[in-house]
Amino acid sequence: MPEKESPQKESTAPQSTLITGIGELVSNDAEQGAYAALTDAALVIAGGEVAWTGPASRAPAADAVVDAAGRAVLPGFADSHAHLVFAGERSAEFAARMAGRPYRAGGILVTVEATRAASDVVLRAKLRRLVAEMLRQGTTTFECKSGYGLTVPDEARGLALAAEVTPEVTYLGAHVVPPEFAGDPAGYVDLVCGPMLDACAPSARWVDVFCEDGAFGADEAAAVLAAGRAAGLGARVHANQLGPGPGVRVAAEAGAASADHCTFLTDADVDALASTPVVATLLPGAEFGTRQPFPDARRLLDAGVTVALATDCNPGSSFTSSMPFCIALAVREMRMTTEEAVWAATAGGARALRRTDIGHLGPGARADLIMLDAPSHAYLAYRPGVPQIAAVWQSGHLVDAALPAATLTEPSASGRRGE
Ligand SMILES: [Zn+2]
């Protein structure tokens, strides 16, 4: 269970809370896997779950009432791809790249060096700062990868720290071959599939591999995923980010939950994604941060591929933790509709993590939800760069509120009905 970092963490949730006056309630349809929304809606939270949704005029009584005053309510964002355990700082690299130097996967090693040198205290503090930042921006579930340690103890340490803040922990020993194995990449793959996996699997739910020129090839990636699966881990793949390659095919053959990036795809790649349960997780922050062409989301959606959006938050190619920013990019630059982008950032992320309890707000869903200081989900793309998250609930607890809490939650002494 993620730690809650906000000042409101001590507040105890009432037994049930009615949020009424919701201008637009994005509920998503869990069974149809489709975007769905209600207007003039209400929602009841009880026991950490969504207990009821429907028209505000028919809302049942509850112990406390929140008047949304026409604001929109959405599922909390599910950021299914993030690299949050690291030390060091690479703004100069970004600035140089913006001045014309091309992105190279080798930049990862700059962060590896700083991460290995950092104390547990420093790594934990930096991680928790990012987690708090994500929560304030409406991310109620996030995945967190290792991959900046690349030794047995450093990878195990990164995963143990990640496991303190999320259940969605991903072992990414196969991020890049570290310099000490530069002459023996096969030896490094053996380490990743052997002693390093043994040390890391207890903290992880997923295994990931960076399948790309300059990182790991198809056979190496398949070996890493097979070893991870034998250790009980689900598969994810960094695929087809920097150019055409075997990543998507490897992901499909391994039964991966998600192929991430998907920027350079052949028709066969699109067919593989459309004909298997592999989610295509698009990470437009990486294209933004490296000034590369954005993935063709329209092509994937029109082919029937399940698409997720995630931040790829990392210090090299995409140092944003903002799902609203990624939604805005997806709508403006990738021709996703506002509905598609919001679905991909909530239900799509849930699917990429194989989670059925989040990403929607039907009865029985985990009560992870956000209130916008705006009347419609479209404002996330319509007003890019503007803080619009008015409040965040996680498992039914109000964990962050930009609006004064007093205006949000008022006890209803008599359990009055919503209007
Ligand atoms: Zn990544």
Side-chain angles (χ1 to χ4, degrees), residues 4 19 23 27 30 42 115-116 122 128 130 145 159 226 250 256-257 265 268 281 307 316 352 375 384 387 392 395 403:
K4 299 170 184 77
I19 305 175
S27 54
T115 303
R116 288 176 177 175
V122 166
R128 293 191 173 214
L130 286 173
K145 302 175 194 296
L159 290 171
V250 168
L265 300 182
T281 300
V307 171
V392 181
S395 287
L403 298 176

Side-chain angles (χ1 to χ4, degrees), residues 49-396:
E49 295 184 347
V50 176
W52 183 91
T53 61
S57 60
R58 286 192 233 144
D63 300 318
V65 177
V66 173
D67 183 1
R71 297 183 181 90
V73 170
L74 289 74
F77 300 123
D79 185 352
S80 60
H81 185 133
H83 308 249
L84 306 176
V85 184
F86 64 87
E89 198 281 323
R90 285 162 64 187
S91 61
E93 177 186 317
F94 172 79
R97 189 164 60 237
M98 290 300 105
R101 196 170 78 202
Y103 172 61
R104 297 256 180 263
I108 291 167
L109 295 175
V110 174
T111 301
V112 170
E113 192 175 340
T115 303
R116 288 176 177 175
S119 68
D120 291 4
V121 170
V122 166
L123 279 182
R124 182 181 285 114
K126 291 174 87 64
L127 168 63
R128 293 191 173 214
R129 180 180 166 178
L130 286 173
V131 170
E133 187 180 280
M134 293 168 109
L135 191 63
R136 283 198 302 276
Q137 297 172 97
T139 298
T140 49
T141 299
F142 62 92
E143 184 255 24
C144 182
K145 302 175 194 296
S146 66
Y148 294 118
L150 310 184
T151 67
V152 172
D154 284 309
E155 284 296 294
R157 172 171 78 146
L159 290 171
L161 290 168
E164 293 177 358
V165 295
T166 181
E168 305 298 342
V169 174
T170 300
Y171 167 48
L172 181 58
H175 198 186
V176 69
V177 175
E180 58 272 21
F181 280 90
D184 182 21
Y188 185 65
V189 172
D190 288 344
L191 180 69
V192 167
C193 295
M196 191 184 282
L197 175 64
D198 294 341
C200 289
S203 300
R205 182 176 178 218
W206 304 99
V207 60
D208 193 349
V209 57
F210 191 12
C211 184
E212 198 81 41
D213 277 352
F216 298 89
D219 292 347
E220 296 167 315
V224 168
L225 299 178
R229 171 187 276 190
L233 306 181
R236 330 184 62 75
V237 181
H238 280 70
N240 303 63
Q241 175 191 3
L242 304 176
V248 165
R249 174 173 59 78
V250 168
E253 289 172 359
S258 181
D260 296 41
H261 285 292
C262 294
T263 308
F264 293 91
L265 300 182
T266 63
D267 289 346
D269 291 330
V270 175
D271 288 347
L273 291 165
S275 60
T276 62
V278 182
V279 173
T281 300
L282 309 183
L283 309 169
E287 278 77 31
F288 180 89
T290 58
R291 197 178 278 137
Q292 293 294 307
F294 288 92
D296 191 344
R298 233 2 323 128
R299 179 186 183 198
L300 291 167
L301 290 163
D302 291 347
V305 175
T306 300
V307 171
L309 283 172
T311 62
D312 194 16
C313 184
N314 78 82
S317 57
S318 181
F319 198 18
T320 181
S321 57
S322 172
M323 292 293 280
F325 174 65
C326 294
I327 288 169
L329 288 180
V331 171
R332 173 62 180 81
E333 301 291 343
M334 292 155 58
R335 299 185 184 278
M336 293 175 76
T337 67
T338 59
E339 291 87 354
E340 286 167 342
V342 163
W343 189 91
T346 54
R351 292 201 166 201
L353 294 170
R354 295 291 188 257
R355 293 275 297 268
T356 57
D357 58 329
I358 59 169
H360 62 100
L361 293 176
R366 203 168 111 127
D368 287 356
L369 48 124
I370 58 180
M371 183 185 293
L372 301 185
D373 198 5
S376 158
H377 74 277
Y379 275 63
L380 290 165
Y382 175 45
R383 303 201 69 209
V386 177
Q388 297 183 88
I389 308 297
V392 181
W393 285 262
Q394 208 171 29
S395 287

